[in-house]
Amino acid sequence: MRSRFRRPSRTKGVASCVALGLAAVAALSGCSSSDNGVGPDGKVEITIAGPNQWNDQSGSFGKPWEKLIAKFEKAEPKIKVKTNVLPLADYQKTLGTQLSAGTAPELVFYSAPHQPHMVHTLDDELKKPNPYVDGNKKWASLFNPKYYGPGKGINAEGKKEYLPFNVVSTGLYYNEKAFDKAGVKAPVKTFDDLMSACGKLKSAGYAPLAMDSSPSGVGWTIKTISNMLLDKYYDKLNVFAPDGSKGKNSEVTDKARYRAILSGDLDATKTPEVGESVKLLKRVFDKCATKNWSGITPSSSSVVNVRDFSSGKAAMAWGTPFGYGALAGVKGKVSSMPFPTITKGTTELSSDAPAQFGADAGGTSYMIPSTVKDAKYDAALKFLQWMSVPEHTQDWLDATGALPVLKGAKAPEATKSMAQGVWSEKMRVGGQPDAPKGVSVVSLYDGYLLGSKSLGTTLKALDASWHKLAEEQVKAHGWDDEPWAKG
């Protein structure tokens, strides 16, 4: 079953309208899109609503997307696709409210807050052939199983409810011209090499690493660093299976991480690798980050301080694959690389665990609300099926830097490193926990990074925030009765 909602028969709706005969004029509105989704002109209009991940425009996902939509509409002249670009700051609230009220459009961004019954599940559809691929027997077979295979892209009930258009990951963009001028060789492999590279880039007139006050710059850096240093605790922390029962998982689950916090196995003031991670974070910001980074307002969720990097002032920037489209104006070729590995040469607390971040289905993914039915449902499903064909989307991937989730599609040269090697594997430990509700991850570290707070003060506050987060999650997931959750 797709959901608790059943789609009324489209045939029945059409027959009813035919039966009206000459009386159709009096009830025209009852046989239009308000009944079965087909307008008076015989066309079906669907709306896709989500945040703009590709550029800083308020009304468009960019020309590559518009060309993609035009290509689909040419293939399906009876379907019109409207794109509703929502502000990054409040798209989740907007879509979540619409889903709850039953007023959401035909395709909504997958991270909108919702309950499973509010969207159609796609499991049954994925078992059927994709009509756009000759000889295809199962739609699901078109996807790379690493990203969208069994157990991937599922909700709390184990059902697939969203369809990914690409793979989400993160890495460091770098300007090849700046690296050549400074005599820096890419990729930068170790943390010590990064410190050296930042010195050379500064001498060449560049801000080594673009940073701003966004949570991404601080958050991605500290998670990557701490995941490497905490890797030695993987076996100790890894005590729950994916379903929450006692067992093991390929990565330490969130539940296991919260258990570690409340039990004292992970303590910001006592686990030495936590303090060391914060000190290495400060070294990155002192040696590499844009001057006055804390006062720079973020303008993109896809590339940190995109203005300085795209203008050529900065030589490197954290970014996602789909942020590549915003870098078209950069002088010099843009490439990408993983964050370097922290070795024992940098700190004795290292176990030489490689840098990881993870690449997975997500990024640009959409789902169909369960209130969508009849011709509108069919049109939305067709759009998702059409987007699942490499020949249809390759130009869009190349233009935007988006990494493919489909078999047979090629990764763009500039971003392919974000989905290669160990870097593309999910973090084993997950790095240091996030902030509790209402608290910015930047506020946990900026005092120490800017020199207004000591390391000890920072770690005490960090430990307190972790406990608050763990307690929130225990309550949210109903783990209150488990012994570890009682403190």
Side-chain angles (χ1 to χ4, degrees):
M1 294 179 63
R2 290 192 189 95
S3 69
R4 64 176 184 153
F5 290 86
R6 294 187 61 181
R7 284 199 298 142
S9 169
R10 181 177 175 183
T11 302
K12 180 179 178 180
V14 173
S16 297
C17 286
V18 172
L20 286 176
L22 295 176
V25 175
L28 181 61
S29 61
C31 297
S32 66
S33 58
S34 61
D35 265 355
N36 62 6
V38 180
D41 59 356
K43 293 186 177 182
V44 179
E45 180 176 287
I46 60 173
T47 296
I48 182 167
N52 189 351
Q53 304 163 284
W54 313 100
N55 53 62
D56 57 4
Q57 298 177 34
S58 60
S60 172
F61 287 172
K63 289 184 179 180
W65 176 262
E66 292 170 2
K67 288 181 178 179
L68 188 70
I69 296 300
K71 190 175 178 181
F72 170 75
E73 291 178 339
K74 183 177 180 179
E76 292 289 346
K78 293 295 185 180
I79 302 175
K80 180 175 176 58
V81 180
K82 177 183 177 183
T83 302
N84 185 11
V85 182
L86 301 175
L88 282 166
D90 55 14
Y91 80 88
Q92 290 189 323
K93 180 180 179 180
T94 299
L95 293 178
T97 300
Q98 291 176 344
L99 285 166
S100 296
T103 59
E106 291 72 30
L107 290 162
V108 299
F109 199 72
Y110 79 117
S111 64
H114 66 283
Q115 297 297 319
H117 72 265
M118 296 178 184
V119 297
H120 286 289
T121 57
L122 298 172
D123 298 73
D124 290 342
E125 302 288 7
L126 287 164
K127 294 176 183 177
K128 301 174 184 177
N130 184 317
Y132 296 102
V133 180
D134 291 339
N136 176 250
K137 295 182 179 180
K138 186 183 293 186
W139 182 12
S141 68
L142 301 176
F143 295 89
N144 185 332
K146 176 181 178 181
Y147 303 126
Y148 200 60
K152 301 285 187 178
I154 58 176
N155 62 15
E157 297 180 348
K159 302 291 186 180
K160 290 187 185 296
E161 60 182 18
Y162 68 79
L163 200 289
F165 298 164
N166 56 23
V167 171
V168 63
S169 185
T170 300
L172 291 176
Y173 282 113
Y174 67 92
N175 187 322
E176 290 189 7
K177 181 179 179 180
F179 270 42
D180 289 343
K181 183 178 177 180
V184 176
K185 184 179 179 180
V188 179
K189 295 184 177 181
T190 70
F191 189 87
D192 285 350
D193 291 338
L194 177 64
M195 296 297 101
S196 175
C198 288
K200 292 178 180 178
L201 289 164
K202 274 187 180 180
S203 297
Y206 296 97
L209 180 61
M211 279 290 178
D212 56 27
S213 58
S214 69
S216 298
V218 173
W220 289 339
T221 308
I222 188 61
K223 271 203 173 283
T224 303
I225 290 174
S226 59
N227 181 67
M228 285 185 269
L229 295 190
L230 292 171
D231 186 79
K232 64 184 67 172
Y233 298 105
Y234 172 74
D235 290 328
K236 181 179 182 181
L237 303 180
N238 190 16
V239 296
F240 290 125
D243 63 359
S245 62
K246 289 184 179 181
K248 300 291 182 181
N249 189 38
S250 55
E251 306 95 30
V252 173
T253 64
D254 287 340
K255 182 180 179 180
R257 192 175 297 107
Y258 302 137
R259 184 212 65 81
I261 292 169
L262 295 178
S263 68
D265 286 344
L266 183 60
D267 187 311
T269 63
K270 298 178 181 178
T271 306
E273 289 76 13
V274 175
E276 187 72 359
S277 295
V278 177
K279 288 193 286 185
L280 292 178
L281 175 70
K282 183 170 173 57
R283 286 184 63 185
V284 171
F285 275 73
D286 287 348
K287 189 75 173 181
C288 307
T290 308
K291 188 177 180 180
N292 299 324
W293 60 271
S294 63
I296 300 175
T297 302
S299 59
S300 169
S301 65
S302 302
V303 180
V304 177
N305 193 355
V306 66
R307 293 193 185 97
D308 278 0
F309 184 72
S310 60
S311 68
K313 292 181 180 179
M316 293 181 287
W318 276 106
T320 62
F322 36 86
Y324 177 73
L327 307 178
V330 175
K331 294 182 179 179
K333 185 179 179 181
V334 173
S335 295
S336 62
M337 63 183 182
F339 190 87
T341 294
I342 297 170
T343 66
K344 291 180 180 178
T346 296
T347 171
E348 293 181 354
L349 293 177
S350 168
S351 61
D352 285 333
Q356 294 175 298
F357 197 90
D360 207 351
T364 308
S365 300
Y366 282 84
M367 52 192 182
I368 306 174
S370 49
T371 49
V372 177
K373 52 190 177 182
D374 295 324
K376 294 245 181 204
Y377 174 87
D378 293 338
L381 183 65
K382 278 188 175 182
F383 182 74
L384 297 183
Q385 291 169 329
W386 189 88
M387 287 291 294
S388 305
V389 182
E391 292 79 6
H392 296 167
T393 60
Q394 188 64 58
D395 289 345
W396 175 65
L397 296 176
D398 292 339
T400 61
L403 295 168
V405 70
L406 301 170
K407 295 177 181 177
K410 296 181 180 179
E413 189 67 27
T415 57
K416 66 181 184 181
S417 70
M418 298 184 191
Q420 291 180 334
V422 180
W423 178 254
S424 70
E425 297 175 5
K426 286 187 177 181
M427 294 182 176
R428 293 216 312 165
V429 177
Q432 295 183 181
D434 295 319
K437 289 182 179 179
V439 178
S440 167
V441 67
V442 178
S443 68
L444 300 178
Y445 302 97
D446 62 354
Y448 179 64
L449 297 179
L450 296 171
S452 63
K453 293 182 180 179
S454 68
L455 178 61
T457 299
T458 298
L459 294 179
K460 287 181 181 179
L462 195 60
D463 196 63
S465 76
W466 289 358
H467 275 265
K468 183 178 181 181
L469 172 64
E471 290 164 0
E472 288 176 352
Q473 294 302 309
V474 164
K475 183 176 181 180
H477 290 87
W479 296 327
D480 310 66
D481 294 335
E482 300 196 23
W484 62 268
K486 297 178 181 179

